[in-house]
Structure formats: structure tokens, C-alpha cells
Amino acid sequence: MDPMLKDLREWLLREHAGTVCADRLRVIAAELADLTARRLPGPVVELGCYRGAMALWIRSVLESLGDHDREIHIYDSFQGMPAPGAEDSDHLAAGELRSSPDDVRATHAAWGRPAPVIHPGWFDETLPKELPDEIAFAYLDGDFYDSTLTGLTHCVTRLVPTGVLLVDDYADTAVNPRAWDGLPGVKRACDVYFGALSPVTVVVGEGDLAFGRYEKPEFPG
């Protein structure tokens, strides 16, 4: 691993342990390396960014790969979590995980990295108008059913062919019994969006990673 990335990884695991983990960093770095090697066009988007830890990792990994010009767009209410709905657990309450665009900028400035394009507002307000027309890679960290469903609705159609969307907190414990299942609304939203024969695959990590992976077909049909 690039020495700078190694130092950043250790810092993120120490200072942002609530929102990143070793499995998440490893899986996302691998996805970015793959899309760069395949020269997929389009920006990277993150839905639900909190203080910008993962966005900083994405930027730094892309730069280590020589992919300096790819845009990164992040979306967050910056008002904390909405109220959980009927499909959600009570793991997070309304207003938790509140941050600000300045928090994101400060996280990036600490490592001398340019901040991403920041889109403040609730997903149902920003995504229809402010998502790029083409997306190479999307990281959906919406936590709740409604947020996840809104993210899928607007991101999947914009993925370029063979573009990838990773869904955080997607826990299919039948496939991966170790997956953390504290936010069940996420998988429920994916099941509703994709239907019974879901194309979402489970990503298994070394710990309790709960990740779903969707790859846009090269030839839809």
C-alpha cells in the first residue's frame, strides 16, 4: 500500500472509527482500483457522508491511482438523521450524526486534499436535480429505508454500464451470518427496489461488514 494511504488508513480508523472500518476501506479501495483500470467514465458519488471520512479516502485512493480529475459528489442533509420509519430499527434517532459542510472541508484540509462537490439537503430534494447524469461508482450510506430507496431510485438509472453501487449496512444474514444487522430498513429497501430476484450480491469482510454490491449490466435487457 502507498505509504500515504497507509498513514491515512490508520488515522481514519483511529479518528473516524464510528463511520469507517478496515473492511469498508479495503473494499472501496478495490472497487476504485477496478473502475480506474477499466477507465470507466463518470464521477463518484456518496450518499450520506457525515464528516467526510470516506470521501477523503475515496479522493486519496483515486489520486494514488493517478486518477486526479474524477469528480466526487457527496450528499447529506447536514441536519442529522431523519426520523426512522416503520421499516427501520431504533438504532439511530432523528438528529443523530449531524455534521456540516465545514466539517467535510476540514477533514480534507487536514490531509491537503481538495474537498468534493458538496450537496446539502435531504435526498429527495437534491438527488433528482443535482446528481450527475452518469455515475461510475456510488456509495449509498442512507441508514434508513426511505433514504436508501430514494438513493437507489435516482442512482441506479444513472450508473454507466458495469458501474457499481455499494450499499452500506446491507445485511443478508442468510448469506453472511456475521453481518451486522442493526439497520434492517436498508436491505428491505433494496428488496423492494430490485424485486424477488435481486441482483445485489453480498460482500463478505473479515469482520461484521454488511455490504451489498450491485453492478449495472453491460447490456441492459
Side-chain angles (χ1 to χ4, degrees), residues 11-201:
W11 181 80
L12 288 170
L13 293 176
R14 183 175 66 251
E15 301 295 329
H16 293 266
T19 54
V20 302
C21 67
D23 279 334
R24 286 179 172 90
L25 298 179
R26 176 183 55 79
V27 170
I28 287 178
E31 292 288 356
L32 296 172
D34 180 64
L35 77 86
T36 301
R38 294 190 290 124
R39 299 183 179 179
L40 276 189
V44 170
V45 303
E46 180 186 15
L47 277 57
C49 67
Y50 191 39
R51 293 162 55 202
M54 190 59 79
L56 170 62
W57 179 248
I58 290 169
R59 170 60 69 197
S60 300
V61 170
L62 288 174
E63 290 195 357
S64 77
L65 295 165
D67 195 345
H68 300 283
D69 298 326
R70 193 182 299 269
E71 289 184 349
I72 300 171
H73 293 255
I74 63 172
Y75 302 80
D76 199 289
S77 72
F78 295 109
Q79 299 178 53
M81 296 298 300
E87 300 292 337
D88 300 308
S89 69
D90 59 0
H91 178 72
L92 293 169
E96 283 194 62
L97 301 178
R98 188 184 184 102
S99 63
S100 73
D102 282 343
D103 291 332
V104 175
R105 296 185 187 102
T107 298
H108 284 71
W111 286 81
R113 293 288 179 270
V117 183
I118 303 173
H119 301 264
W122 300 107
F123 291 170
D124 59 355
E125 298 169 350
T126 58
L127 300 186
K129 299 178 292 185
E130 299 178 26
L131 270 177
D133 291 335
E134 290 191 325
I135 296 171
F137 175 74
Y139 179 52
L140 176 49
D141 189 11
D143 293 330
F144 287 166
Y145 177 92
D146 285 345
S147 300
T148 301
L149 191 57
T150 300
L152 292 169
T153 299
H154 295 288
C155 284
V156 169
T157 55
R158 290 173 169 85
L159 283 173
V160 300
T162 71
V164 169
L165 182 145
L166 286 181
V167 185
D168 192 41
D169 301 310
Y170 178 95
D172 187 338
T173 54
V175 176
N176 178 19
R178 290 184 300 166
W180 181 75
D181 193 17
L183 294 166
V186 172
K187 183 177 184 297
R188 291 170 184 169
C190 291
D191 290 345
V192 166
Y193 180 83
F194 287 109
L197 298 176
S198 176
V200 178
T201 57

